[in-house]
Amino acid sequence: MRVKIFPGRTSEGEVTIPASKSLSHRVLISAALAEGTSVLHHVADNQDTEATLRCLKALGAGSEKAADGLHITGIRDWSSYEGSVLDCGESGSTLRFLIPLAAMTGKVVTFTGHGKLMQRPQSVYEELFREKGLLFEKKDEFLRVQGPVPGGEYVLKGDVSSQFITGLLFTLPLAEKDSVIRIIPPYESRSYVLLTEQILKGSGITIHDEGLEIRIPGNQRYRPSERTVEGDDSQAAFFEALGVISGKPVCIHGINLESMQGDHAMLDILRKMGGSLKEMDGLVIAEPSVLHGTVIDLENCPDLGPVLFAAATQAEGVTKFIHAGRLRIKESDRIDAMEEELTKLGAVMHSEEDSAEISGKTKISGGVVLNGHNDHRIVMALAVLACNADSPVTIEGAEAVSKSYPDFFKDLKKAGAKVEQL
């Protein structure tokens, strides 16, 4: 799909953000592990969460949409798994969260995926599985594992994806023995681990988090619950940036102002750059602002990288991004992808392996065709910045937004932008 974004915005905007993708993955998994039926409200509806639900059903969970919410019936018997291939789509969270859990069947479980998913690093699990004498086999576009994953000690580097820690946190309460996860600093993206622990505790699971050491008693049982998923701060970030850089305010509904989501940091980062963002009763108003360059640490919020790169082009002076290396192993190399596309728009960006610098303020030159790099966050970040161009901008591969935010372009129109689907 190709979309054309026209300069400027016709009006002040008002949008309601979708449910948090990160939290939706977590509540679906915790519900599938519970003994009984959970009722979930406001679960994110996108390709990634569909992949998680599809895999959980293959493992034996039940799912039914009802008037009062999504009913998830927990997996009653792990040994009932019949050998279905677990198709994770392009969802890294689905794959990494479910690898150790699927191994609890005690049978050989095969995973597959699409796009670049099966090329993304899984060496953390590979090493852990082999240390425990378990099967971990990667071949072509398939990954095979067999457990069950035992309790005991697990040592992980803190500067790899927190998704590996989350996968173990879901799994180890089911082990017979107690477990401890020891984390070697630096400890990046801890906010996502805390998000997982919040969901686990709401499911009756006991976790003792002492910073670099997480203790998990074994032989626990998940209990069913009723939950409502809060709005997605990583998706709100695009509209917060839009309101700050594009000349008219945007009113963003559905934000939990006390959220533990790591991407809630977008508000403080934009304020640090000089952005005006007002908070009131579940909504944020992002107002046109004069931004200035600063140093932005992406250690705990890497998903904000693309939209902050876009916003930084509209800030006076130099904006430096540090601890950005993990952006290189997402759906695309998000640093290289943004550098390539921002250069087409006339921006100046230079990067190294773990950092990047953007010089502003840039006059955004339209009349160009941009590549979405099959990456939802790249497409959305470029679309936001294109509203500041001096002539229309076309983005190819815009369908990538379906991965996390299928209604993004509808909401961009609600925010006052003129968007044409080609």
Side-chain angles (χ1 to χ4, degrees):
M1 181 176 79
R2 303 167 81 226
V3 296
K4 182 179 285 188
I5 311 292
F6 292 83
R9 290 166 52 218
T10 58
S11 63
E12 297 181 5
E14 192 164 355
V15 298
T16 300
I17 58 171
S20 165
K21 182 164 74 85
S22 292
L23 282 168
S24 293
H25 283 303
R26 289 163 168 81
V27 299
L28 286 169
I29 293 170
S30 63
L33 298 177
E35 298 179 359
T37 300
S38 298
V39 181
L40 309 179
H41 308 283
H42 195 229
V43 177
D45 184 9
N46 54 55
Q47 291 176 351
D48 279 12
T49 53
E50 287 174 2
T52 291
L53 186 56
R54 178 172 62 241
C55 292
L56 291 170
K57 291 169 74 173
L59 288 170
S63 170
E64 181 182 0
K65 290 184 178 179
D68 63 339
L70 179 63
H71 290 214
I72 302 294
T73 303
I75 299 168
R76 295 179 181 177
D77 181 6
W78 286 100
S79 65
S80 66
Y81 168 68
E82 298 179 349
S84 301
V85 174
L86 303 191
D87 184 349
C88 300
E90 296 186 37
S91 174
S93 294
T94 302
L95 179 60
R96 287 175 174 166
F97 291 174
L98 294 186
I99 284 174
L101 271 173
M104 299 303 282
T105 64
K107 301 179 180 180
V108 176
V109 180
T110 302
F111 290 91
T112 191
H114 304 278
K116 294 185 177 180
L117 178 63
M118 302 311 288
Q119 281 73 54
R120 292 174 71 174
Q122 307 297 340
S123 58
V124 173
Y125 280 150
E126 183 173 12
E127 292 174 10
L128 292 179
F129 269 58
R130 289 180 178 168
E131 285 175 7
K132 303 295 182 182
L134 307 176
L135 173 68
F136 190 101
E137 181 183 67
K138 175 73 172 64
K139 186 176 181 180
D140 299 325
E141 294 302 308
F142 294 91
L143 171 65
R144 294 178 178 87
V145 299
Q146 185 177 20
V149 174
E153 180 176 277
Y154 291 80
V155 180
L156 284 78
K157 292 181 179 179
D159 59 355
V160 297
S161 175
S162 63
Q163 292 170 346
F164 297 109
I165 301 173
T166 284
L168 289 174
L169 284 174
F170 276 123
T171 306
L172 293 176
L174 302 173
E176 291 184 4
K177 293 170 51 180
D178 294 352
S179 301
V180 58
I181 300 174
R182 303 188 195 281
I183 299 162
I184 301 171
Y187 189 0
E188 298 180 3
S189 295
R190 188 180 181 221
S191 58
Y192 288 96
V193 174
L194 295 176
L195 210 60
T196 302
E197 292 176 359
Q198 179 187 44
I199 298 303
L200 288 169
K201 290 172 183 176
S203 298
I205 297 299
T206 298
I207 301 283
H208 303 290
D209 189 327
E210 300 169 9
L212 297 177
E213 189 171 279
I214 306 173
R215 297 190 173 276
I216 307 110
N219 206 26
Q220 299 191 62
R221 294 185 178 183
Y222 284 76
R223 66 171 182 235
S225 60
E226 183 171 1
R227 301 177 191 264
T228 300
V229 180
E230 65 186 51
D232 195 322
D233 278 298
S234 65
Q235 312 297 24
F238 296 101
F239 295 100
E240 290 158 2
L242 181 69
V244 167
I245 70 172
S246 66
K248 291 185 175 66
V250 179
C251 182
I252 306 143
H253 296 267
I255 296 176
N256 175 9
L257 300 180
E258 304 299 324
S259 178
M260 291 178 63
Q261 295 176 59
D263 292 338
H264 198 69
M266 183 68 173
L267 297 171
D268 288 338
I269 292 171
L270 286 177
R271 290 188 179 110
K272 183 180 177 182
M273 297 175 74
S276 174
L277 298 113
K278 297 178 179 177
E279 302 178 10
M280 54 183 76
D281 297 331
L283 63 87
V284 169
I285 301 173
E287 299 179 322
S289 307
V290 177
L291 301 183
H292 55 77
T294 186
V295 176
I296 297 175
D297 189 342
L298 295 176
E299 182 175 68
N300 284 307
C301 52
D303 284 344
L304 295 180
V307 69
L308 284 169
F309 293 162
T313 69
Q314 302 305 291
E316 299 287 350
V318 175
T319 303
K320 182 172 183 178
F321 295 86
I322 60 174
H323 298 130
R326 285 178 41 232
L327 275 72
R328 296 193 179 278
I329 52 173
K330 296 290 187 175
E331 286 81 345
S332 68
D333 181 331
R334 287 178 174 166
I335 295 176
D336 279 358
M338 286 300 291
E339 188 167 352
E340 179 181 338
E341 304 310 317
L342 291 179
T343 299
K344 295 177 186 177
L345 294 168
V348 179
M349 177 175 175
H350 300 288
S351 65
E352 296 182 0
E353 185 62 28
D354 193 40
S355 64
E357 287 189 358
I358 294 175
S359 300
K361 180 177 180 180
T362 301
K363 179 182 178 182
I364 302 301
S365 302
V368 296
V369 177
L370 304 179
N371 183 344
H373 294 263
N374 194 36
D375 191 320
H376 53 134
R377 299 201 189 280
I378 299 295
V379 173
M380 292 187 280
L382 294 174
V384 166
L385 186 56
C387 293
N388 275 28
D390 57 13
S391 60
V393 172
T394 299
I395 304 174
E396 293 183 330
E399 69 277 3
V401 300
S402 296
K403 186 174 191 297
S404 65
Y405 197 166
D407 290 334
F408 173 73
F409 289 109
K410 291 180 182 179
D411 285 351
L412 191 59
K413 290 178 183 179
K414 291 178 183 178
K418 183 180 179 184
V419 181
E420 180 181 327
Q421 182 176 327
L422 303 177

